[in-house]
Amino acid sequence: LIDTVESFGLSGGVAEERLDAIGITVNKNTIPDDPRGPMDPSGIRIGVPALTTRGMQEKEVKQITLCILEALGYDDQEFQRQRAALHKEVIQLCKRFPVPKQFI
């Protein structure tokens, strides 16, 4: 879980939308003692099983982490300017590590 309100000033829903826009799927999620309601939570949940299933290792998880930090750290205007470049980076990584055929 990441407290996106405390860390980035974004609700979990906004963080989820931004990451979805660059090709990273997370879920908005409540955090412990969340002051916001479950319909507008303060955090996101990140899971790595989809990454390890593709064969990604620590190096790739760090790369994705940097993409997440950039996407959530920008103000709205800068995010719009950087969105395409971040999305391209995520797509290139996914092409290097396709979903195994047994999971399609």
PDB file of all heavy atoms in Angstrom, residues 52-78:
ATOM      1  N   THR A  52       6.355 -10.651 -11.898  1.00  0.00           N
ATOM      2  CA  THR A  52       7.188 -11.850 -11.785  1.00  0.00           C
ATOM      3  C   THR A  52       6.698 -12.958 -12.720  1.00  0.00           C
ATOM      4  O   THR A  52       7.508 -13.734 -13.225  1.00  0.00           O
ATOM      5  CB  THR A  52       7.237 -12.353 -10.332  1.00  0.00           C
ATOM      6  OG1 THR A  52       5.912 -12.598  -9.859  1.00  0.00           O
ATOM      7  CG2 THR A  52       7.922 -11.329  -9.437  1.00  0.00           C
ATOM      8  N   THR A  53       5.406 -13.001 -12.987  1.00  0.00           N
ATOM      9  CA  THR A  53       4.876 -13.976 -13.946  1.00  0.00           C
ATOM     10  C   THR A  53       5.461 -13.742 -15.328  1.00  0.00           C
ATOM     11  O   THR A  53       5.691 -14.680 -16.082  1.00  0.00           O
ATOM     12  CB  THR A  53       3.331 -13.883 -14.001  1.00  0.00           C
ATOM     13  OG1 THR A  53       2.817 -14.224 -12.715  1.00  0.00           O
ATOM     14  CG2 THR A  53       2.738 -14.799 -15.047  1.00  0.00           C
ATOM     15  N   ARG A  54       5.731 -12.502 -15.657  1.00  0.00           N
ATOM     16  CA  ARG A  54       6.335 -12.152 -16.950  1.00  0.00           C
ATOM     17  C   ARG A  54       7.845 -12.403 -16.955  1.00  0.00           C
ATOM     18  O   ARG A  54       8.490 -12.259 -17.979  1.00  0.00           O
ATOM     19  CB  ARG A  54       6.091 -10.677 -17.261  1.00  0.00           C
ATOM     20  CG  ARG A  54       4.666 -10.344 -17.620  1.00  0.00           C
ATOM     21  CD  ARG A  54       4.526  -8.809 -17.720  1.00  0.00           C
ATOM     22  NE  ARG A  54       3.234  -8.436 -18.225  1.00  0.00           N
ATOM     23  CZ  ARG A  54       3.010  -7.980 -19.453  1.00  0.00           C
ATOM     24  NH1 ARG A  54       3.995  -7.841 -20.305  1.00  0.00           N
ATOM     25  NH2 ARG A  54       1.796  -7.657 -19.834  1.00  0.00           N
ATOM     26  N   GLY A  55       8.407 -12.712 -15.802  1.00  0.00           N
ATOM     27  CA  GLY A  55       9.838 -12.955 -15.720  1.00  0.00           C
ATOM     28  C   GLY A  55      10.655 -11.737 -15.326  1.00  0.00           C
ATOM     29  O   GLY A  55      11.883 -11.757 -15.390  1.00  0.00           O
ATOM     30  N   MET A  56       9.988 -10.683 -14.909  1.00  0.00           N
ATOM     31  CA  MET A  56      10.720  -9.483 -14.500  1.00  0.00           C
ATOM     32  C   MET A  56      11.429  -9.752 -13.171  1.00  0.00           C
ATOM     33  O   MET A  56      10.958 -10.521 -12.339  1.00  0.00           O
ATOM     34  CB  MET A  56       9.779  -8.291 -14.386  1.00  0.00           C
ATOM     35  CG  MET A  56       9.214  -7.850 -15.704  1.00  0.00           C
ATOM     36  SD  MET A  56       8.207  -6.362 -15.516  1.00  0.00           S
ATOM     37  CE  MET A  56       7.391  -6.337 -17.107  1.00  0.00           C
ATOM     38  N   GLN A  57      12.561  -9.097 -13.015  1.00  0.00           N
ATOM     39  CA  GLN A  57      13.387  -9.236 -11.824  1.00  0.00           C
ATOM     40  C   GLN A  57      13.480  -7.881 -11.110  1.00  0.00           C
ATOM     41  O   GLN A  57      12.784  -6.933 -11.467  1.00  0.00           O
ATOM     42  CB  GLN A  57      14.789  -9.713 -12.232  1.00  0.00           C
ATOM     43  CG  GLN A  57      14.804 -11.044 -12.947  1.00  0.00           C
ATOM     44  CD  GLN A  57      14.566 -12.216 -12.021  1.00  0.00           C
ATOM     45  OE1 GLN A  57      15.091 -12.261 -10.928  1.00  0.00           O
ATOM     46  NE2 GLN A  57      13.776 -13.174 -12.462  1.00  0.00           N
ATOM     47  N   GLU A  58      14.367  -7.797 -10.150  1.00  0.00           N
ATOM     48  CA  GLU A  58      14.526  -6.587  -9.344  1.00  0.00           C
ATOM     49  C   GLU A  58      14.805  -5.350 -10.203  1.00  0.00           C
ATOM     50  O   GLU A  58      14.252  -4.271  -9.955  1.00  0.00           O
ATOM     51  CB  GLU A  58      15.661  -6.793  -8.347  1.00  0.00           C
ATOM     52  CG  GLU A  58      15.834  -5.649  -7.381  1.00  0.00           C
ATOM     53  CD  GLU A  58      16.913  -5.924  -6.357  1.00  0.00           C
ATOM     54  OE1 GLU A  58      17.371  -7.070  -6.222  1.00  0.00           O
ATOM     55  OE2 GLU A  58      17.310  -4.953  -5.689  1.00  0.00           O
ATOM     56  N   LYS A  59      15.625  -5.498 -11.223  1.00  0.00           N
ATOM     57  CA  LYS A  59      15.971  -4.366 -12.090  1.00  0.00           C
ATOM     58  C   LYS A  59      14.718  -3.756 -12.732  1.00  0.00           C
ATOM     59  O   LYS A  59      14.543  -2.542 -12.762  1.00  0.00           O
ATOM     60  CB  LYS A  59      16.946  -4.822 -13.174  1.00  0.00           C
ATOM     61  CG  LYS A  59      17.321  -3.766 -14.174  1.00  0.00           C
ATOM     62  CD  LYS A  59      18.226  -4.337 -15.256  1.00  0.00           C
ATOM     63  CE  LYS A  59      18.472  -3.309 -16.340  1.00  0.00           C
ATOM     64  NZ  LYS A  59      19.190  -3.867 -17.469  1.00  0.00           N
ATOM     65  N   GLU A  60      13.847  -4.611 -13.244  1.00  0.00           N
ATOM     66  CA  GLU A  60      12.624  -4.128 -13.908  1.00  0.00           C
ATOM     67  C   GLU A  60      11.635  -3.553 -12.902  1.00  0.00           C
ATOM     68  O   GLU A  60      10.955  -2.563 -13.191  1.00  0.00           O
ATOM     69  CB  GLU A  60      11.982  -5.255 -14.712  1.00  0.00           C
ATOM     70  CG  GLU A  60      12.784  -5.681 -15.922  1.00  0.00           C
ATOM     71  CD  GLU A  60      13.957  -6.602 -15.598  1.00  0.00           C
ATOM     72  OE1 GLU A  60      13.900  -7.336 -14.595  1.00  0.00           O
ATOM     73  OE2 GLU A  60      14.937  -6.578 -16.367  1.00  0.00           O
ATOM     74  N   VAL A  61      11.555  -4.152 -11.712  1.00  0.00           N
ATOM     75  CA  VAL A  61      10.661  -3.617 -10.682  1.00  0.00           C
ATOM     76  C   VAL A  61      11.125  -2.220 -10.281  1.00  0.00           C
ATOM     77  O   VAL A  61      10.312  -1.313 -10.092  1.00  0.00           O
ATOM     78  CB  VAL A  61      10.577  -4.566  -9.470  1.00  0.00           C
ATOM     79  CG1 VAL A  61       9.795  -3.920  -8.330  1.00  0.00           C
ATOM     80  CG2 VAL A  61       9.937  -5.893  -9.874  1.00  0.00           C
ATOM     81  N   LYS A  62      12.431  -2.014 -10.206  1.00  0.00           N
ATOM     82  CA  LYS A  62      12.955  -0.676  -9.908  1.00  0.00           C
ATOM     83  C   LYS A  62      12.591   0.310 -11.018  1.00  0.00           C
ATOM     84  O   LYS A  62      12.240   1.458 -10.741  1.00  0.00           O
ATOM     85  CB  LYS A  62      14.472  -0.731  -9.715  1.00  0.00           C
ATOM     86  CG  LYS A  62      14.880  -1.342  -8.402  1.00  0.00           C
ATOM     87  CD  LYS A  62      16.387  -1.369  -8.257  1.00  0.00           C
ATOM     88  CE  LYS A  62      16.787  -1.991  -6.937  1.00  0.00           C
ATOM     89  NZ  LYS A  62      18.249  -2.021  -6.767  1.00  0.00           N
ATOM     90  N   GLN A  63      12.673  -0.132 -12.262  1.00  0.00           N
ATOM     91  CA  GLN A  63      12.321   0.734 -13.387  1.00  0.00           C
ATOM     92  C   GLN A  63      10.847   1.133 -13.313  1.00  0.00           C
ATOM     93  O   GLN A  63      10.496   2.301 -13.515  1.00  0.00           O
ATOM     94  CB  GLN A  63      12.617   0.020 -14.709  1.00  0.00           C
ATOM     95  CG  GLN A  63      12.375   0.871 -15.924  1.00  0.00           C
ATOM     96  CD  GLN A  63      12.711   0.136 -17.226  1.00  0.00           C
ATOM     97  OE1 GLN A  63      13.224  -0.982 -17.232  1.00  0.00           O
ATOM     98  NE2 GLN A  63      12.409   0.770 -18.336  1.00  0.00           N
ATOM     99  N   ILE A  64       9.978   0.182 -13.016  1.00  0.00           N
ATOM    100  CA  ILE A  64       8.551   0.472 -12.893  1.00  0.00           C
ATOM    101  C   ILE A  64       8.305   1.401 -11.700  1.00  0.00           C
ATOM    102  O   ILE A  64       7.496   2.337 -11.782  1.00  0.00           O
ATOM    103  CB  ILE A  64       7.744  -0.823 -12.771  1.00  0.00           C
ATOM    104  CG1 ILE A  64       7.797  -1.572 -14.098  1.00  0.00           C
ATOM    105  CG2 ILE A  64       6.298  -0.549 -12.355  1.00  0.00           C
ATOM    106  CD1 ILE A  64       7.278  -2.975 -14.049  1.00  0.00           C
ATOM    107  N   THR A  65       9.019   1.169 -10.619  1.00  0.00           N
ATOM    108  CA  THR A  65       8.891   2.038  -9.447  1.00  0.00           C
ATOM    109  C   THR A  65       9.228   3.480  -9.805  1.00  0.00           C
ATOM    110  O   THR A  65       8.524   4.409  -9.400  1.00  0.00           O
ATOM    111  CB  THR A  65       9.796   1.541  -8.304  1.00  0.00           C
ATOM    112  OG1 THR A  65       9.415   0.208  -7.968  1.00  0.00           O
ATOM    113  CG2 THR A  65       9.691   2.434  -7.088  1.00  0.00           C
ATOM    114  N   LEU A  66      10.271   3.663 -10.581  1.00  0.00           N
ATOM    115  CA  LEU A  66      10.638   5.020 -11.001  1.00  0.00           C
ATOM    116  C   LEU A  66       9.552   5.650 -11.865  1.00  0.00           C
ATOM    117  O   LEU A  66       9.257   6.837 -11.732  1.00  0.00           O
ATOM    118  CB  LEU A  66      11.981   5.009 -11.734  1.00  0.00           C
ATOM    119  CG  LEU A  66      13.194   4.714 -10.850  1.00  0.00           C
ATOM    120  CD1 LEU A  66      14.458   4.593 -11.705  1.00  0.00           C
ATOM    121  CD2 LEU A  66      13.364   5.770  -9.775  1.00  0.00           C
ATOM    122  N   CYS A  67       8.945   4.858 -12.741  1.00  0.00           N
ATOM    123  CA  CYS A  67       7.835   5.371 -13.558  1.00  0.00           C
ATOM    124  C   CYS A  67       6.670   5.808 -12.664  1.00  0.00           C
ATOM    125  O   CYS A  67       6.058   6.858 -12.883  1.00  0.00           O
ATOM    126  CB  CYS A  67       7.355   4.310 -14.546  1.00  0.00           C
ATOM    127  SG  CYS A  67       8.473   3.994 -15.913  1.00  0.00           S
ATOM    128  N   ILE A  68       6.369   4.990 -11.659  1.00  0.00           N
ATOM    129  CA  ILE A  68       5.284   5.315 -10.730  1.00  0.00           C
ATOM    130  C   ILE A  68       5.606   6.608  -9.985  1.00  0.00           C
ATOM    131  O   ILE A  68       4.762   7.510  -9.890  1.00  0.00           O
ATOM    132  CB  ILE A  68       5.034   4.154  -9.745  1.00  0.00           C
ATOM    133  CG1 ILE A  68       4.426   2.955 -10.483  1.00  0.00           C
ATOM    134  CG2 ILE A  68       4.145   4.594  -8.583  1.00  0.00           C
ATOM    135  CD1 ILE A  68       4.345   1.684  -9.653  1.00  0.00           C
ATOM    136  N   LEU A  69       6.819   6.711  -9.473  1.00  0.00           N
ATOM    137  CA  LEU A  69       7.212   7.911  -8.731  1.00  0.00           C
ATOM    138  C   LEU A  69       7.134   9.158  -9.602  1.00  0.00           C
ATOM    139  O   LEU A  69       6.677  10.215  -9.153  1.00  0.00           O
ATOM    140  CB  LEU A  69       8.618   7.750  -8.158  1.00  0.00           C
ATOM    141  CG  LEU A  69       8.759   6.739  -7.024  1.00  0.00           C
ATOM    142  CD1 LEU A  69      10.224   6.528  -6.678  1.00  0.00           C
ATOM    143  CD2 LEU A  69       7.956   7.166  -5.813  1.00  0.00           C
ATOM    144  N   GLU A  70       7.571   9.038 -10.842  1.00  0.00           N
ATOM    145  CA  GLU A  70       7.487  10.186 -11.751  1.00  0.00           C
ATOM    146  C   GLU A  70       6.035  10.562 -12.016  1.00  0.00           C
ATOM    147  O   GLU A  70       5.656  11.726 -11.905  1.00  0.00           O
ATOM    148  CB  GLU A  70       8.187   9.877 -13.070  1.00  0.00           C
ATOM    149  CG  GLU A  70       9.686   9.919 -12.985  1.00  0.00           C
ATOM    150  CD  GLU A  70      10.333   9.743 -14.345  1.00  0.00           C
ATOM    151  OE1 GLU A  70       9.978  10.491 -15.276  1.00  0.00           O
ATOM    152  OE2 GLU A  70      11.186   8.856 -14.458  1.00  0.00           O
ATOM    153  N   ALA A  71       5.223   9.581 -12.384  1.00  0.00           N
ATOM    154  CA  ALA A  71       3.825   9.856 -12.734  1.00  0.00           C
ATOM    155  C   ALA A  71       3.066  10.491 -11.578  1.00  0.00           C
ATOM    156  O   ALA A  71       2.264  11.409 -11.783  1.00  0.00           O
ATOM    157  CB  ALA A  71       3.131   8.571 -13.178  1.00  0.00           C
ATOM    158  N   LEU A  72       3.315  10.028 -10.375  1.00  0.00           N
ATOM    159  CA  LEU A  72       2.591  10.564  -9.227  1.00  0.00           C
ATOM    160  C   LEU A  72       3.218  11.843  -8.688  1.00  0.00           C
ATOM    161  O   LEU A  72       2.541  12.642  -8.037  1.00  0.00           O
ATOM    162  CB  LEU A  72       2.513   9.517  -8.110  1.00  0.00           C
ATOM    163  CG  LEU A  72       1.797   8.215  -8.475  1.00  0.00           C
ATOM    164  CD1 LEU A  72       1.726   7.300  -7.268  1.00  0.00           C
ATOM    165  CD2 LEU A  72       0.421   8.469  -9.060  1.00  0.00           C
ATOM    166  N   GLY A  73       4.488  12.058  -8.969  1.00  0.00           N
ATOM    167  CA  GLY A  73       5.181  13.225  -8.440  1.00  0.00           C
ATOM    168  C   GLY A  73       4.982  14.504  -9.234  1.00  0.00           C
ATOM    169  O   GLY A  73       5.207  15.598  -8.721  1.00  0.00           O
ATOM    170  N   TYR A  74       4.560  14.375 -10.481  1.00  0.00           N
ATOM    171  CA  TYR A  74       4.348  15.559 -11.313  1.00  0.00           C
ATOM    172  C   TYR A  74       3.066  16.275 -10.940  1.00  0.00           C
ATOM    173  O   TYR A  74       2.091  15.647 -10.528  1.00  0.00           O
ATOM    174  CB  TYR A  74       4.226  15.166 -12.788  1.00  0.00           C
ATOM    175  CG  TYR A  74       5.489  14.655 -13.425  1.00  0.00           C
ATOM    176  CD1 TYR A  74       5.464  13.530 -14.239  1.00  0.00           C
ATOM    177  CD2 TYR A  74       6.709  15.300 -13.255  1.00  0.00           C
ATOM    178  CE1 TYR A  74       6.613  13.054 -14.849  1.00  0.00           C
ATOM    179  CE2 TYR A  74       7.856  14.828 -13.865  1.00  0.00           C
ATOM    180  CZ  TYR A  74       7.807  13.711 -14.656  1.00  0.00           C
ATOM    181  OH  TYR A  74       8.942  13.250 -15.251  1.00  0.00           O
ATOM    182  N   ASP A  75       3.044  17.594 -11.149  1.00  0.00           N
ATOM    183  CA  ASP A  75       1.767  18.292 -11.061  1.00  0.00           C
ATOM    184  C   ASP A  75       0.967  17.936 -12.316  1.00  0.00           C
ATOM    185  O   ASP A  75       1.493  17.299 -13.233  1.00  0.00           O
ATOM    186  CB  ASP A  75       1.950  19.804 -10.885  1.00  0.00           C
ATOM    187  CG  ASP A  75       2.638  20.495 -12.057  1.00  0.00           C
ATOM    188  OD1 ASP A  75       2.522  20.027 -13.220  1.00  0.00           O
ATOM    189  OD2 ASP A  75       3.291  21.516 -11.828  1.00  0.00           O
ATOM    190  N   ASP A  76      -0.281  18.314 -12.358  1.00  0.00           N
ATOM    191  CA  ASP A  76      -1.155  17.902 -13.465  1.00  0.00           C
ATOM    192  C   ASP A  76      -0.609  18.297 -14.830  1.00  0.00           C
ATOM    193  O   ASP A  76      -0.622  17.500 -15.767  1.00  0.00           O
ATOM    194  CB  ASP A  76      -2.562  18.491 -13.302  1.00  0.00           C
ATOM    195  CG  ASP A  76      -3.328  17.844 -12.168  1.00  0.00           C
ATOM    196  OD1 ASP A  76      -2.992  16.715 -11.778  1.00  0.00           O
ATOM    197  OD2 ASP A  76      -4.268  18.491 -11.663  1.00  0.00           O
ATOM    198  N   GLN A  77      -0.111  19.504 -14.934  1.00  0.00           N
ATOM    199  CA  GLN A  77       0.385  20.001 -16.224  1.00  0.00           C
ATOM    200  C   GLN A  77       1.620  19.213 -16.679  1.00  0.00           C
ATOM    201  O   GLN A  77       1.715  18.800 -17.831  1.00  0.00           O
ATOM    202  CB  GLN A  77       0.724  21.477 -16.098  1.00  0.00           C
ATOM    203  CG  GLN A  77       0.416  22.283 -17.307  1.00  0.00           C
ATOM    204  CD  GLN A  77       0.616  23.772 -17.021  1.00  0.00           C
ATOM    205  OE1 GLN A  77       1.437  24.163 -16.186  1.00  0.00           O
ATOM    206  NE2 GLN A  77      -0.142  24.593 -17.706  1.00  0.00           N
ATOM    207  N   GLU A  78       2.554  19.009 -15.769  1.00  0.00           N
ATOM    208  CA  GLU A  78       3.771  18.273 -16.121  1.00  0.00           C
ATOM    209  C   GLU A  78       3.451  16.811 -16.421  1.00  0.00           C
ATOM    210  O   GLU A  78       4.041  16.211 -17.316  1.00  0.00           O
ATOM    211  CB  GLU A  78       4.812  18.381 -15.005  1.00  0.00           C
ATOM    212  CG  GLU A  78       6.160  17.809 -15.367  1.00  0.00           C
ATOM    213  CD  GLU A  78       6.846  18.512 -16.540  1.00  0.00           C
ATOM    214  OE1 GLU A  78       6.512  19.672 -16.859  1.00  0.00           O
ATOM    215  OE2 GLU A  78       7.728  17.883 -17.143  1.00  0.00           O
TER     216      GLU A  78
END
